[in-house]
Amino acid sequence: MKKKFKIAVLPGDGIGPEIMQSALKVLDVVSKKYDIEFEFKEALVGGAAIDETGDPLPEETLKLCKESDAVLFGAVGGEKWDNLPTDKRPEKGLLKIRKELDLFANLRPGKAYSALIDSSPLKDSLIKGVDLLVVRELTGGIYFGEPRGIKEENGQKVGFNTMVYSEYEIERVARLAFDLARNRRKKLTSVDKANVLEVSALWREVVSRIADDYKDVELEHMYVDNAAMQLVRRPKDFDVIVTGNLFGDIISDEAGALTGSLGMLPSASIGEKYAFYEPIHGSAPDIAGKGIANPIAMILSAAMMLEITCKLPEAKKEIENAIEEALNEGYRTPDLWSPGTKKVNTEEITNIIIEKIR
Ligand code: NAD
Ligand code: IPM
Ligand code: MN
């Protein structure tokens, strides 16, 4: 019997639907080649869902996610919805899914492709060979801490949020990061702000304690300001980075830019029960609707799904190889284009990648 996977497809806003189409085309070819079956069901999220239903995460969408083997997510957000209160914005839809599915760890691999060395803002010698993985805590920290809000005090508005982590939240993401480091180059950098924040002092204490169970992995602690700097000074020295929600958001975009374009970085968000795959970039309103978005981050996110949910590491590898070949042959979407390379749009790069898999 063919293996069958139920996939919830949430294209979202801006370039979300454009890049999702590319990923689905690639998955279609992979399913034939590997003799598996996908049942794709699409649902509304973000601004698209607000326009239709008034809610960035309609109940049916959440239900579909919970009934599926995996969720593929494009991106949400855009100017049209920027003036809504925080709680009603498209981004809230994404944050609510992460929380509801308890997706506590977000894996964001950043790798330098040799064909794209020139697209990096860093010198060749610094970027060549970079291969790191940011493990970002995704369901806690300042993103979800209470109390939060904007209040009136002495005739002035005061905005406030709370950064909070409990031991078990730190422990579960740290263990996962150690496990991942163990299967890579055995180095883990824990990023915090323990010199200033109590929440970070606890983070450091818990990560250090867990390290006792992972004597084969080298652990270093680094303050987030220094980490941001070392990432551009000596990115090759990083293997796995584990950090909280906010620091992970910032550091992973930095990693994206280093390796050429944000349009290249995929991610997998995992918890005990569910798995969710999305590129790390946003809805890119500046290029939406033009058909020129780089679909590779989304395609690589689908490839992570093939490995983690479908247990087909060879299919993932095949997609990665196809992408690498296309880049080696000089094909570039505009975000990566430079003189001497061949400019292609979303559909063209997708078809080139597909031809190599077929
Ligand atoms: P962004 O990631 O959307 O865009 C930043 C820059 O990178 C833009 O110049 C954009 O054109 C470029 N870019 C991003 N992805 C690209 C791709 N695949 N191909 C080519 N170029 C790409 O970040 P932003 O501009 O700060 O945010 C825009 C909207 O997206 C906001 O509403 C924000 O809240 C939202 N957002 C959503 C997610 C998500 O859904 N996961 C992530 C980040 C931002
Ligand atoms: C990301 C995004 C989201 C985040 C936003 C859109 C809520 O920036 O996935 O990196 O901050 O987590
Ligand atoms: Mn982000």
Side-chain angles (χ1 to χ4, degrees):
M1 255 255 295
K2 262 192 196 180
K3 265 207 211 160
K4 186 169 170 182
F5 299 94
K6 285 189 193 169
I7 312 295
V9 175
L10 277 48
D13 309 316
I15 63 169
E18 302 169 36
I19 57 175
M20 185 63 79
Q21 214 185 0
S22 297
L24 295 181
K25 266 168 102 174
V26 170
L27 285 174
D28 190 45
V29 174
V30 167
S31 70
K32 294 196 177 91
K33 188 155 176 179
Y34 287 82
D35 202 29
I36 54 172
E37 204 178 321
F38 289 118
E39 186 186 313
F40 296 116
K41 284 201 177 145
E42 200 174 308
L44 290 167
V45 73
I50 294 173
D51 288 351
E52 283 279 323
T53 70
D55 182 350
L57 181 64
E59 203 46 54
E60 304 99 83
T61 300
L62 184 59
K63 184 161 173 279
L64 176 69
C65 292
K66 289 187 173 170
E67 288 166 358
S68 302
D69 296 306
V71 182
L72 280 177
F73 183 96
V76 291
E79 217 178 308
K80 182 174 175 195
W81 307 282
D82 274 350
N83 293 322
L84 294 170
T86 316
D87 214 43
K88 302 254 178 311
R89 288 174 61 114
E91 291 84 350
K92 190 70 184 183
L94 173 57
L95 295 170
K96 202 168 158 200
I97 298 184
R98 289 174 177 170
K99 193 72 176 175
E100 289 277 341
L101 302 186
D102 198 23
L103 304 164
F104 67 85
N106 182 216
L107 280 40
R108 300 186 154 188
K111 173 178 140 174
Y113 288 85
S114 49
L116 296 184
I117 297 291
D118 288 341
S119 305
S120 172
L122 294 192
K123 284 192 276 230
D124 292 12
S125 60
L126 291 182
I127 199 68
K128 240 181 226 157
V130 167
D131 180 6
L132 53 82
L133 172 66
V134 179
V135 180
R136 169 189 179 193
E137 199 292 325
L138 203 61
T139 49
I142 198 163
Y143 273 56
F144 295 95
E146 298 283 347
R148 62 189 299 156
I150 299 176
K151 60 180 176 187
E152 286 275 325
E153 219 171 69
N154 303 326
Q156 276 209 76
K157 280 186 180 171
V158 179
F160 56 100
N161 287 88
T162 306
M163 196 189 272
V164 52
Y165 272 116
S166 56
E167 278 184 278
Y168 91 96
E169 287 177 293
I170 305 168
E171 178 164 347
R172 63 182 181 173
V173 74
R175 283 199 185 278
L176 185 85
F178 272 112
D179 284 332
L180 290 162
R182 191 169 252 175
N183 289 313
R184 292 172 48 107
R185 300 196 306 279
K186 299 190 187 342
K187 185 171 174 191
L188 180 64
T189 307
S190 175
V191 170
D192 62 36
K193 188 74 189 172
N195 49 346
V196 176
L197 306 174
E198 285 79 359
V199 58
S200 279
L202 179 68
W203 179 281
R204 196 172 274 220
E205 183 190 313
V206 174
V207 174
S208 300
R209 190 173 74 220
I210 308 289
D212 288 344
D213 296 340
Y214 294 88
K215 297 250 193 276
D216 53 324
V217 177
E218 180 199 337
L219 169 68
E220 70 175 341
H221 297 283
M222 200 179 279
Y223 298 131
V224 62
D225 47 353
N226 186 28
M229 192 266 287
Q230 299 301 344
L231 261 176
V232 291
R233 252 191 87 223
R234 46 177 188 91
K236 246 180 287 199
D237 289 355
F238 291 92
D239 179 15
V240 179
I241 297 173
V242 65
T243 188
N245 209 340
L246 180 63
F247 301 155
D249 179 44
I250 298 167
I251 280 205
S252 54
D253 263 34
E254 193 183 355
L258 289 187
T259 53
S261 165
L262 215 46
M264 293 295 297
L265 256 73
S267 89
S269 304
I270 53 182
E272 297 293 339
K273 204 164 162 200
Y274 301 104
F276 183 95
Y277 302 89
E278 57 164 327
I280 83 156
H281 62 70
S283 55
D286 51 338
I287 57 165
K290 296 185 179 156
I292 57 167
N294 185 349
I296 293 179
M298 185 74 234
I299 294 172
L300 286 171
S301 302
M304 290 183 88
M305 177 185 90
L306 287 168
E307 180 181 35
I308 298 172
T309 296
C310 309
K311 310 277 183 268
L312 285 172
E314 59 290 12
K316 175 196 182 212
K317 191 79 210 134
E318 186 154 8
I319 293 178
E320 285 174 347
N321 290 344
I323 288 170
E324 211 154 339
E325 258 180 68
L327 295 171
N328 287 341
E329 286 167 15
Y331 296 106
R332 304 277 189 276
T333 42
D335 53 314
L336 289 169
W337 182 84
S338 60
T341 62
K342 296 172 241 183
K343 197 182 278 182
V344 286
N345 62 25
T346 310
E347 193 183 346
E348 287 162 337
I349 190 84
T350 304
N351 290 337
I352 290 163
I353 292 166
I354 284 173
E355 276 315 311
K356 299 188 184 304
I357 298 173
R358 214 188 284 280

